[in-house]
């Protein structure tokens, strides 16, 4: 998994539009995994609606990539990284049943 997150450490004031979709996806994925203490394994793909062949970390990465690809450049201009992350984290958590 280390290669997935390689060179995803932009400066905190770096514009989201100056990052590639892959860089932004990797940074957001890494933050989700760390903040939510997600473990390696299988099963998250079923809740995230991605291929069941993906292990948890790659399933999250693929889901985040789909979310990033759905955003327009104009939308990214309206966000800081932290705002985008917190909105994404909230949406991510709501993909799972409560309880």
């Amino acid at each position: 998994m280390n290669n997935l997150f390689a060179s995803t450490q932009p400066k905190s004031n770096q514009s989201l539009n100056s990052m590639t979709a892959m860089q932004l996806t990797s940074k957001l994925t890494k933050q989700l995994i760390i903040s939510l203490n997600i473990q390696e394994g299988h099963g998250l793909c079923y809740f995230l609606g991605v291929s069941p062949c993906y292990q948890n970390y790659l399933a999250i990465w693929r889901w985040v990539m789909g979310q990033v690809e759905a955003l327009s450049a104009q939308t990214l201009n309206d966000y800081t990284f932290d705002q985008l992350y917190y909105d994404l984290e909230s949406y991510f958590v709501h993909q799972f049943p409560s309880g």
Side-chain angles (χ1 to χ4, degrees):
M1 281 317 292
N2 290 340
N3 290 341
L4 179 64
F5 304 118
S7 59
T8 59
Q9 301 299 323
K11 300 173 198 164
S12 59
N13 62 351
Q14 182 177 3
S15 166
L16 294 179
N17 279 332
S18 68
M19 298 172 70
T20 66
M22 185 142 334
Q23 288 173 323
L24 182 56
T25 297
S26 294
K27 184 170 175 59
L28 289 166
T29 300
K30 182 177 182 179
Q31 188 68 35
L32 279 171
I33 290 168
I34 292 169
S35 295
L36 299 175
N37 193 30
I38 297 170
Q39 302 299 305
E40 291 185 68
H42 297 279
L44 293 182
C45 56
Y46 300 108
F47 298 102
L48 300 176
V50 298
S51 174
C53 70
Y54 295 137
Q55 293 182 7
N56 287 349
Y57 292 168
L58 192 52
I60 296 167
W61 187 91
R62 186 62 204 116
W63 180 83
V64 171
M65 178 59 93
Q67 304 308 308
V68 168
E69 288 173 342
L71 296 173
S72 68
Q74 182 60 42
T75 302
L76 286 176
N77 280 335
D78 296 338
Y79 277 101
T80 65
F81 177 83
D82 288 342
Q83 291 169 326
L84 178 59
Y85 172 75
Y86 290 119
D87 284 354
L88 184 75
E89 179 186 50
S90 176
Y91 188 52
F92 178 83
V93 169
H94 284 93
Q95 301 306 302
F96 303 92
S98 60

